[in-house]
Amino acid sequence: MRRTTGLLSVLVLGAAVAGPVASAHAAPATASAASTCHRLVVKANASNNKALSAGDRHSYKKAIGHNKATQKYTVQAEGACRHARHAAEIRRALDGARDGAQEAEYQNKRAYVEHDSRAGRAAAHAELNVKSRLRIALHYS
């Protein structure tokens, strides 16, 4: 008995079945892009919350790292959300969030280097601004 014909027929049948299945799954690509957009906005929000928490504990160096991560996720989310349904609103909110995260990073650096509590409070205010912007982006994503 030949065993190769069974394997060959399975491969041919698998290739015949795989063609239509792949084309049927091509339609929900926008849903995947939308979930990627939302996932990145959620990550940016989580990172900003960590920065707020670190700033409240006067761990300014950790807050700087979380602010940088927030900036990274907002930039990635802008690219992922460029074809979203409310792309303009999301982009506007993410731009404001990124600017606020840069300001918070600057203020956290001042607080860390100069031991300035006023800069720490300014960083906290900037991070709260980022939080409100990211809530808007979450609403539209």
Side-chain angles (χ1 to χ4, degrees):
M1 277 174 69
R2 293 189 307 202
R3 294 179 186 219
T4 58
T5 57
L7 179 62
L8 186 60
S9 64
V10 168
L11 289 175
V12 170
L13 181 62
V17 171
V21 171
S23 64
H25 289 298
T30 57
S32 175
S35 65
T36 302
C37 168
H38 185 75
R39 178 178 49 84
L40 287 168
V41 175
V42 167
K43 280 186 171 184
N45 192 32
S47 181
N48 185 58
N49 287 337
K50 289 178 184 178
L52 267 168
S53 178
D56 289 343
R57 293 187 316 265
H58 303 287
S59 300
Y60 299 119
K61 195 166 188 177
K62 286 184 181 180
I64 292 166
H66 293 303
N67 287 328
K68 287 182 180 181
T70 302
Q71 291 175 46
K72 177 183 80 168
Y73 289 131
T74 55
V75 169
Q76 290 176 358
E78 278 186 36
C81 299
R82 69 182 177 273
H83 296 299
R85 181 174 293 172
H86 300 286
E89 289 87 355
I90 295 171
R91 186 176 57 246
R92 197 174 308 119
L94 289 173
D95 280 340
R98 189 184 64 239
D99 291 343
Q102 286 175 347
E103 175 66 20
E105 179 188 356
Y106 170 74
Q107 294 296 341
N108 277 321
K109 284 181 180 178
R110 277 190 51 211
Y112 177 70
V113 172
E114 300 173 7
H115 304 287
D116 187 5
S117 63
R118 288 182 300 151
R121 283 194 301 272
H125 287 297
E127 288 161 355
L128 288 172
N129 184 22
V130 171
K131 187 173 187 173
S132 68
R133 298 292 180 121
L134 288 174
R135 279 186 186 163
I136 294 168
L138 275 172
H139 173 73
Y140 286 113
S141 68

